[in-house]
Each structure stands twice: as structure tokens, then as C-alpha cells.
Amino acid sequence: MPRADATRNREKILAAAREAGAQVSMAELARRAGVGMATLYRNFPGRRELLEALYKDEVDAMCAAQEPDFEAWVRRFLRFAAGKHGIAVELLAHDDENPIFNVSRDRVLASGRPLLEAAQARGEIRDDLSLEQILDMVMAIAGLRRDPDYLEPMLTAVFDGLKR
Amino acid sequence: MPRADATRNREKILAAAREAGAQVSMAELARRAGVGMATLYRNFPGRRELLEALYKDEVDAMCAAQEPDFEAWVRRFLRFAAGKHGIAVELLAHDDENPIFNVSRDRVLASGRPLLEAAQARGEIRDDLSLEQILDMVMAIAGLRRDPDYLEPMLTAVFDGLKR
């Protein structure tokens, strides 16, 4: 099979998995992606490999994002964290010591750190908080799982508090 | 028994219970308080009544506090919330529909609301957040259960963000 077709099959499977959610069976996934079981298993020998690929795609997209400033990056991070949650939960159930979590965390932090450091160097953002502290803080607020109208003024206040 | 002695016994039991923690047996509690079992059970027929009294004392102290401003009140609230946690957990185990929780919540909120509203009326604190939102936000951060050095800059940033 030409390489382009192989890549297309892989993308079709991943797209179907994203759309179907993590709970769908491998047989149903093959049906939805329009590929045979052999193709599915050649690409993803098991559910763990499929979940890893979905997770890595989310992380890749987060790291590749070109956000205009640190606040925009943090807001994208919050959407990323909410979106990958379901995948991560199932992947943890399969393999809770998977190094992908630590590696991904480091990659994501590395994608935001230059924006924070530049803003701190320009004196736009206070420098008594680390990137880890800022993300822990906004994740704690997002973790309240209230509706966006309730949470948004909190995040606005936090971003105002980060400015100096 | 003179009323003063009765009050003193009750206070001795509550003080011993606060010091010993919620896990101690009723017999051990009587021993530590230096009262007989009859006196203990006359004051507190069961553990639930004891826990309720401990909880109510904490709430009373919180509501009676005269804090100079809203930030000081919120910081006291955080200490209060951390301190009553153990009592509340055990009380919930005994009686998870106890109306004391809702009543206490309303009383505590009522003790802080005038400080917030006055500061908002003076234009010192932003008015797009309710007291409930502010407390949810700081409790979410305090709930990270990291050491105070890690949390304190987050709270400082939040209080800066509340100012306008």
C-alpha cells in the first residue's frame, strides 16, 4: 500500500475514535473508520496503543499552537486539559505507569514557559509565581466543574492578579 | 450543681475533645476532661452531639471574629475551613443530612458579606464576583494541599486580582 494510503487509514481510525469516544469496541471502530480489522490492528495492536496515539495527538496540537500571549496559552491549556481528560482516564486504567503522562506534561510546560518568561521579563506578569503554580491555580478553579458563567469572572480576576 | 460549674464541665469536655481530636473514645475523653461518665453523657448524650457542639463552636468563633477588612476575613475563613474539616468529616459520617451544615454556611457567609459589600461600594474590590464565587476560588486553591510557601503567592495574586 502506498505510504499516503497507510497514513490516511491511520488518520481515519483516529478521527473515528475521537468522534466515537473512548468506549467504543475495536470492531465498531473499524466499521466507523471504514477499514478492515487487519488494518485497524496493524495500526493499533491494542486499545492502549490507540489511546496513546489519541493522547499524543492532543498534546501535539497543544504544543504546536501559536498563541499570541500567555493568557491565551493558559486558556488553551484549560480547554486541552478538559478535552484530554476522558482519554487520560481510560489510558490510566490500562497502564497507570505509562511514561507518556510525565513526558507530555514536560512537553506542554515547555510550550508555555517561553510566553510566561517573556511576559515576566517585560514586567507584564508578576514573577513570584512559577508556571506550575499558575497552572495548578487555574486548574483548581476549572476543577470546580461549575458552569462557565460562574467560573469566567474567577479566571478574569486571576489573570488580572497575574498582571503587574 | 451551680450553673457555673455545669458550664465549666461542658467547656472542659469540649476543650479536651478539641485537643484529643475527634477519634478518641468517650471513656478516654471523660478521663482527659477530668469528669465522670455521667457528667459527660449528661452534656453530650452521644458522639453526634459532641461533634455538633465542636462544630458550632468553630462556626461561632468564625462569625464573632472582628476582622479589619475583607481579605483578613477570607484568610480567617481559610483557617476556619481547614480546622473544622476533621470534625465535619466525622459528623457527616454520623449524620450526613444534619441541617447544621447549611445553617452554618449561611451564618458564615452572612458574617463576611458586609465586609465584601462595603469594599465593593468603596470601589476597592471588583464587583463582578459574588462572595460565594470568591470563597469557592480560594477554597479550590487551598484544596490543592500543597505547602503554604507554594500556595501563598497564588492567594496573593488572587487578592490582587480582586482589587480594582
Side-chain angles (χ1 to χ4, degrees):
Chain A
M1 191 188 314
R3 173 174 290 199
D5 285 359
T7 303
R8 198 148 50 230
N9 277 338
R10 183 184 165 87
E11 287 308 316
K12 273 157 64 179
I13 296 166
L14 287 173
R18 267 190 291 272
E19 196 177 320
Q23 307 302 324
V24 77
S25 72
M26 293 295 265
E28 172 66 14
L29 182 60
R31 197 189 63 75
R32 293 196 189 202
V35 302
M37 288 299 277
T39 299
L40 174 56
Y41 281 108
R42 191 165 53 241
N43 279 280
F44 302 105
R47 181 170 291 275
R48 187 176 66 79
E49 287 79 5
L50 176 66
L51 291 165
E52 267 191 20
L54 287 170
Y55 191 86
K56 187 167 174 301
D57 271 8
E58 296 282 317
V59 174
D60 287 347
M62 175 72 215
C63 294
Q66 297 291 325
E67 296 293 346
D69 59 35
F70 180 66
E71 176 173 338
W73 183 88
V74 173
R75 289 185 175 279
R76 188 183 184 105
F77 173 84
L78 286 173
R79 294 192 299 276
F80 159 74
K84 74 171 168 48
H85 185 71
I87 303 169
V89 166
E90 219 200 328
L91 186 50
L92 280 165
H94 277 75
D95 181 8
D96 67 355
E97 305 215 327
N98 195 316
I100 196 173
F101 295 115
N102 285 327
V103 171
S104 299
R105 179 184 158 84
D106 290 346
R107 285 179 60 208
V108 169
L109 290 176
S111 79
R113 204 179 300 281
L115 285 168
L116 174 60
E117 289 178 352
Q120 287 174 327
R122 287 193 302 269
E124 291 168 8
I125 292 187
R126 62 195 304 145
D127 59 7
D128 60 347
L129 283 166
S130 68
L131 179 58
E132 288 80 356
Q133 283 170 303
I134 294 170
L135 295 183
D136 276 352
M137 179 165 57
V138 297
M139 286 288 284
I141 293 169
L144 288 168
R145 302 196 167 276
R146 300 288 299 260
D147 65 72
D149 286 350
Y150 190 82
L151 297 181
E152 180 52 37
M154 300 183 192
L155 293 173
T156 303
V158 165
F159 284 120
D160 283 351
L162 291 179
K163 291 180 189 130
R164 48 177 291 173
Chain B
M1 189 187 316
R3 173 174 291 199
D5 284 359
T7 303
R8 198 148 48 229
N9 277 339
R10 183 183 164 86
E11 286 309 315
K12 273 156 63 181
I13 296 166
L14 288 174
R18 268 190 290 271
E19 198 177 319
Q23 307 302 325
V24 77
S25 73
M26 293 296 264
E28 171 68 12
L29 182 61
R31 196 190 64 74
R32 293 196 187 201
V35 303
M37 289 298 279
T39 299
L40 175 57
Y41 280 108
R42 192 165 53 242
N43 279 280
F44 302 104
R47 180 170 291 274
R48 187 175 66 79
E49 288 79 4
L50 176 66
L51 291 165
E52 265 191 21
L54 287 171
Y55 191 85
K56 187 169 172 303
D57 271 7
E58 297 281 317
V59 174
D60 287 346
M62 175 73 215
C63 293
Q66 296 292 326
E67 296 293 348
D69 60 34
F70 179 66
E71 177 173 338
W73 182 87
V74 173
R75 288 186 175 278
R76 187 183 183 104
F77 173 84
L78 287 173
R79 293 191 300 274
F80 159 75
K84 76 170 168 48
H85 185 72
I87 304 169
V89 167
E90 219 198 329
L91 186 51
L92 280 165
H94 278 76
D95 182 7
D96 67 355
E97 305 215 328
N98 194 316
I100 195 172
F101 295 115
N102 284 328
V103 172
S104 300
R105 178 184 159 84
D106 290 346
R107 286 179 59 209
V108 169
L109 290 177
S111 78
R113 204 179 301 282
L115 285 169
L116 174 60
E117 288 179 352
Q120 287 175 327
R122 288 193 301 269
E124 291 169 7
I125 292 187
R126 63 195 304 147
D127 60 6
D128 59 348
L129 283 166
S130 68
L131 179 57
E132 288 79 357
Q133 283 170 304
I134 293 170
L135 295 183
D136 276 352
M137 179 166 55
V138 296
M139 286 288 283
I141 293 169
L144 288 168
R145 302 195 169 278
R146 299 289 299 259
D147 66 73
D149 286 350
Y150 190 83
L151 297 181
E152 180 52 38
M154 300 182 192
L155 293 172
T156 302
V158 165
F159 285 119
D160 283 352
L162 292 178
K163 292 179 189 131
R164 47 177 290 171

